[in-house]
Protein backbone atom coordinates (compact mmCIF):
# COMPACT_ATOMS: atom_id res chain seq x y z
CA UNK A 1 0.00 0.00 0.00
CA UNK A 2 1.35 3.38 -0.87
CA UNK A 3 1.84 5.23 2.41
CA UNK A 4 1.39 8.61 0.76
CA UNK A 5 -2.02 7.49 -0.50
CA UNK A 6 -3.64 7.23 2.92
CA UNK A 7 -1.57 9.95 4.53
CA UNK A 8 -2.24 12.36 1.68
CA UNK A 9 -6.00 11.85 1.78
CA UNK A 10 -8.31 14.56 3.09
CA UNK A 11 -10.57 11.87 4.61
CA UNK A 12 -10.26 11.17 8.29
CA UNK A 13 -10.96 12.42 11.78
CA UNK A 14 -9.51 15.66 13.14
CA UNK A 15 -7.68 14.97 16.41
CA UNK A 16 -5.73 17.82 18.03
CA UNK A 17 -5.56 19.67 14.74
CA UNK A 18 -4.21 16.68 12.79
CA UNK A 19 -6.10 14.65 10.22
CA UNK A 20 -5.93 10.97 11.25
CA UNK A 21 -7.43 8.41 8.88
CA UNK A 22 -5.54 5.22 9.70
CA UNK A 23 -3.78 3.36 12.48
CA UNK A 24 -1.38 0.65 11.40
CA UNK A 25 0.37 -2.11 13.28
CA UNK A 26 1.95 -5.15 11.62
CA UNK A 27 -0.81 -6.60 9.43
CA UNK A 28 -3.67 -4.68 11.08
CA UNK A 29 -5.04 -1.41 9.75
CA UNK A 30 -7.85 0.66 11.22
CA UNK A 31 -9.41 3.24 8.91
CA UNK A 32 -11.27 6.25 10.32
CA UNK A 33 -13.53 8.63 8.46
CA UNK A 34 -16.22 11.23 9.12
CA UNK A 35 -18.62 9.82 6.53
CA UNK A 36 -19.45 6.64 4.68
CA UNK A 37 -18.17 8.19 1.43
CA UNK A 38 -14.82 9.07 3.00
CA UNK A 39 -14.50 5.54 4.36
CA UNK A 40 -15.22 4.08 0.93
CA UNK A 41 -12.53 6.33 -0.59
CA UNK A 42 -9.99 5.16 2.01
CA UNK A 43 -10.95 1.56 1.44
CA UNK A 44 -10.46 1.95 -2.30
CA UNK A 45 -6.94 3.26 -1.60
CA UNK A 46 -6.26 0.14 0.46
CA UNK A 47 -7.70 -2.03 -2.34
CA UNK A 48 -5.13 -0.45 -4.68
CA UNK A 49 -2.47 -2.37 -2.75
CA UNK A 50 -3.80 -5.57 -4.34
CA UNK A 51 -1.85 -4.55 -7.45
CA UNK A 52 1.30 -5.07 -5.37
CA UNK A 53 0.09 -8.46 -4.08
CA UNK A 54 -1.27 -7.33 -0.71
CA UNK A 55 -4.76 -8.76 -0.41
CA UNK A 56 -7.64 -7.45 1.69
CA UNK A 57 -9.43 -10.27 3.51
CA UNK A 58 -13.05 -9.13 3.37
CA UNK A 59 -14.13 -11.95 5.73
CA UNK A 60 -11.91 -10.47 8.47
CA UNK A 61 -12.91 -6.89 7.66
CA UNK A 62 -15.34 -5.26 10.07
CA UNK A 63 -16.98 -1.85 10.23
CA UNK A 64 -17.94 -0.01 13.40
CA UNK A 65 -20.27 2.81 12.41
CA UNK A 66 -21.34 5.56 14.77
CA UNK A 67 -24.78 5.60 13.14
CA UNK A 68 -27.39 3.03 12.15
CA UNK A 69 -25.65 1.58 9.13
CA UNK A 70 -27.49 -1.60 8.17
CA UNK A 71 -25.17 -3.18 5.63
CA UNK A 72 -21.97 -2.48 3.80
CA UNK A 73 -20.30 -4.29 0.92
CA UNK A 74 -16.82 -4.59 -0.55
CA UNK A 75 -16.60 -6.22 -3.97
CA UNK A 76 -20.16 -7.55 -3.60
CA UNK A 77 -19.29 -9.24 -0.28
CA UNK A 78 -21.13 -8.27 2.91
CA UNK A 79 -19.03 -6.63 5.64
CA UNK A 80 -19.96 -7.33 9.24
CA UNK A 81 -21.00 -4.29 11.31
CA UNK A 82 -19.89 -4.52 14.95
CA UNK A 83 -20.39 -2.46 18.10
CA UNK A 84 -16.95 -3.34 19.48
CA UNK A 85 -13.74 -5.11 18.50
CA UNK A 86 -10.34 -6.04 19.90
CA UNK A 87 -7.46 -3.99 18.47
CA UNK A 88 -3.93 -4.67 19.72
CA UNK A 89 -5.34 -6.46 22.76
CA UNK A 90 -7.73 -3.71 23.84
CA UNK A 91 -11.47 -3.72 23.40
CA UNK A 92 -12.72 -0.68 21.48
CA UNK A 93 -16.45 0.05 21.66
CA UNK A 94 -18.57 2.40 19.59
CA UNK A 95 -20.02 4.10 22.67
CA UNK A 96 -16.57 4.85 24.11
CA UNK A 97 -17.37 3.09 27.41
CA UNK A 98 -14.20 1.57 28.87
CA UNK A 99 -15.76 -0.08 31.93
CA UNK A 100 -15.97 -3.52 30.28
CA UNK A 101 -12.35 -3.33 29.16
CA UNK A 102 -11.20 -2.27 32.63
CA UNK A 103 -13.14 -5.13 34.26
CA UNK A 104 -11.66 -7.55 31.71
CA UNK A 105 -8.14 -6.32 32.43
CA UNK A 106 -8.68 -6.60 36.20
CA UNK A 107 -9.85 -10.21 35.76
CA UNK A 108 -6.75 -10.98 33.69
CA UNK A 109 -4.67 -9.43 36.47
CA UNK A 110 -6.37 -11.62 39.07
CA UNK A 111 -5.58 -14.66 36.94
CA UNK A 112 -1.94 -13.58 36.62
CA UNK A 113 -1.77 -13.09 40.39
CA UNK A 114 -3.31 -16.53 40.98
CA UNK A 115 -0.64 -18.07 38.74
CA UNK A 116 2.02 -16.56 41.03
CA UNK A 117 0.35 -17.85 44.20
CA UNK A 118 3.06 -20.36 45.14
CA UNK A 119 5.82 -17.87 44.44
CA UNK A 120 4.21 -15.13 46.50
CA UNK A 121 3.51 -17.44 49.45
CA UNK A 122 7.01 -18.92 49.62
CA UNK A 123 9.24 -17.92 52.52
CA UNK A 124 12.34 -18.22 50.33
CA UNK A 125 11.83 -14.76 48.80
CA UNK A 126 12.02 -11.37 50.48
CA UNK A 127 9.04 -9.04 50.51
CA UNK A 128 10.80 -6.60 48.18
CA UNK A 129 11.42 -9.40 45.65
CA UNK A 130 7.76 -10.43 45.81
CA UNK A 131 6.70 -6.81 45.25
CA UNK A 132 9.02 -6.59 42.23
CA UNK A 133 7.55 -9.81 40.82
CA UNK A 134 3.98 -8.50 41.17
CA UNK A 135 4.95 -5.15 39.63
CA UNK A 136 6.55 -6.80 36.63
CA UNK A 137 4.24 -9.79 36.12
CA UNK A 138 0.77 -8.55 37.15
CA UNK A 139 0.46 -4.79 36.81
CA UNK A 140 1.46 -4.70 33.10
CA UNK A 141 -1.31 -7.23 32.37
CA UNK A 142 -3.85 -4.91 34.00
CA UNK A 143 -2.58 -1.65 32.56
CA UNK A 144 -2.04 -2.80 28.96
CA UNK A 145 -3.87 -0.33 26.73
CA UNK A 146 -4.80 1.94 29.65
CA UNK A 147 -3.70 5.00 27.65
CA UNK A 148 -6.99 4.86 25.80
CA UNK A 149 -9.21 4.40 28.86
CA UNK A 150 -11.64 7.01 30.12
CA UNK A 151 -11.80 6.23 33.82
CA UNK A 152 -14.88 7.03 35.90
CA UNK A 153 -14.99 7.06 39.70
CA UNK A 154 -16.35 3.49 39.88
CA UNK A 155 -13.50 2.17 37.70
CA UNK A 156 -10.94 4.13 39.75
CA UNK A 157 -12.27 2.42 42.90
CA UNK A 158 -12.04 -1.01 41.23
CA UNK A 159 -8.45 -0.35 40.17
CA UNK A 160 -7.51 0.88 43.67
CA UNK A 161 -9.16 -2.18 45.24
CA UNK A 162 -7.24 -4.48 42.88
CA UNK A 163 -3.98 -2.76 43.76
CA UNK A 164 -4.66 -3.23 47.49
CA UNK A 165 -5.67 -6.86 46.89
CA UNK A 166 -2.31 -7.57 45.29
Amino acid sequence: MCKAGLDGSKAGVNIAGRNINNLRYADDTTLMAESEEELKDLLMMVKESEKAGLLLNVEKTKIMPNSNLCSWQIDMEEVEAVTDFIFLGSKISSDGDCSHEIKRRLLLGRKAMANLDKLVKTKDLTLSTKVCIVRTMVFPVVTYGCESWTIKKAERRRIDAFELWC
Side-chain angles (χ1 to χ4, degrees), residues 131 133-144 162-163 166:
V131 169
I133 290 170
V134 170
R135 283 187 180 156
T136 58
M137 303 290 287
V138 178
F139 289 169
V141 170
V142 174
T143 59
Y144 182 83
F162 175 81
E163 194 173 12
C166 286

Side-chain angles (χ1 to χ4, degrees), residues 2-136:
C2 177
K3 184 178 185 223
L6 285 175
D7 291 343
S9 173
K10 299 288 185 214
V13 179
N14 190 321
I15 300 174
R18 292 186 60 203
N19 187 54
I20 309 290
N21 61 21
N22 71 88
L23 302 173
R24 290 177 269 188
Y25 184 80
D27 64 344
D28 285 337
T29 301
T30 299
L31 301 176
M32 297 178 287
E34 291 279 338
S35 68
E36 188 175 343
E37 290 74 31
E38 282 185 2
L39 186 59
K40 284 181 180 177
D41 290 343
L42 289 173
L43 198 54
M44 294 324 315
M45 288 181 200
V46 171
K47 292 283 289 168
E48 286 292 314
S49 65
E50 290 185 353
K51 293 177 183 174
L54 299 170
L55 301 178
L56 175 69
N57 187 340
V58 178
E59 291 177 6
K60 286 182 162 183
T61 302
K62 306 203 181 336
I63 184 170
M64 187 171 70
N66 59 359
S67 63
N68 293 332
L69 183 67
C70 296
S71 66
W72 222 62
Q73 291 185 341
I74 302 173
D75 291 341
M76 306 303 284
E77 289 186 66
E78 192 76 23
V79 178
E80 180 184 359
V82 296
T83 56
D84 55 45
F85 66 98
I86 303 289
F87 182 71
L88 300 178
S90 291
K91 189 174 187 177
I92 311 293
S93 65
S94 60
D95 63 1
D97 184 15
C98 300
S99 61
H100 295 296
E101 175 62 7
I102 294 169
K103 287 177 188 174
R104 187 175 82 89
R105 285 279 152 198
L106 291 172
L107 285 172
L108 289 171
R110 286 188 185 277
K111 184 177 179 183
M113 191 68 185
N115 289 338
L116 295 173
D117 198 46
K118 284 184 183 178
L119 203 59
V120 173
K121 289 183 179 176
T122 184
K123 295 185 186 222
D124 297 334
L125 298 174
T126 65
L127 179 61
S128 64
T129 301
K130 293 175 185 179
V131 169
C132 284
I133 290 170
V134 170
R135 283 187 180 156
T136 58

